[in-house]
Amino acid sequence: MKAVAKKVRILIADDHPAIRKSVRSLLEDHPLFEVCGEAIDGKNAIKQAEELKPDVVVLNVKMPGLNGFEAAREIRKSIPETAIVMLSANADHHLAEAARQIGVRAYVAKTKAGMALIEAIKRAVSGGDFLLVE
């Protein structure tokens, strides 16, 4: 009998409903991924991450209230085993380096969020090196 791989549980945090819907659709089409929740801002992302304990949080960089960097710091403190992948409208090397410094596993430009996001999540959960996708 073949062992069934455990699905990677993912929380999506973005303040734009269309982006959340698009990312959810992309990830749910992948057989190894399961979207376990959605958050509308950084504060809500922290709360849901603490409740759901996902394997990965996909965080938008710019959100109202707490931005993605602030949320990432808090999630890393309270749930260090959860991998964080940041999505950004800006493929900025300074922002990507700042993300890497706080323990984010990948930084992906929204314009490349298709297969690159899937690869970033796979790498993040496997403990691979930091990935920047411009």
Side-chain angles (χ1 to χ4, degrees):
M1 191 186 252
K2 208 176 205 181
V4 177
K6 178 185 169 265
K7 287 196 173 201
V8 175
R9 298 178 67 247
I10 303 167
L11 170 65
I12 302 164
D14 197 297
D15 56 317
H16 293 93
I19 298 289
R20 285 195 315 273
K21 182 179 180 181
S22 176
V23 171
R24 176 183 274 274
S25 178
L26 171 74
L27 299 180
E28 286 182 335
D29 281 347
H30 194 285
L32 295 179
F33 295 163
E34 172 190 335
V35 176
C36 63
E38 291 183 17
I40 60 170
D41 59 29
K43 189 174 183 178
N44 188 245
I46 295 165
K47 181 177 183 265
Q48 285 200 47
E50 289 173 345
E51 289 173 6
L52 299 171
K53 306 231 183 313
D55 300 306
V56 177
V57 177
V58 176
L59 279 173
N60 182 23
V61 171
K62 292 184 180 177
M63 293 185 286
L66 293 177
N67 67 36
F69 286 94
E70 294 162 328
R73 279 187 201 92
E74 290 302 314
I75 293 167
R76 295 282 304 137
K77 273 192 243 174
S78 62
I79 319 160
E81 64 276 10
T82 294
I84 299 173
V85 173
M86 292 193 102
L87 270 180
S88 177
N90 302 315
D92 182 301
H93 287 271
H94 297 294
L95 290 177
E97 179 56 25
R100 189 186 68 74
Q101 292 292 326
I102 61 172
V104 170
R105 301 299 310 140
Y107 187 96
V108 180
K110 285 183 180 179
T111 57
K112 305 286 186 187
M115 293 308 293
L117 180 58
I118 290 171
E119 182 58 36
I121 292 170
K122 287 179 181 178
R123 188 180 288 200
V125 295
S126 70
D129 292 336
F130 178 80
L131 177 65
L132 168 62
V133 181
E134 305 178 78

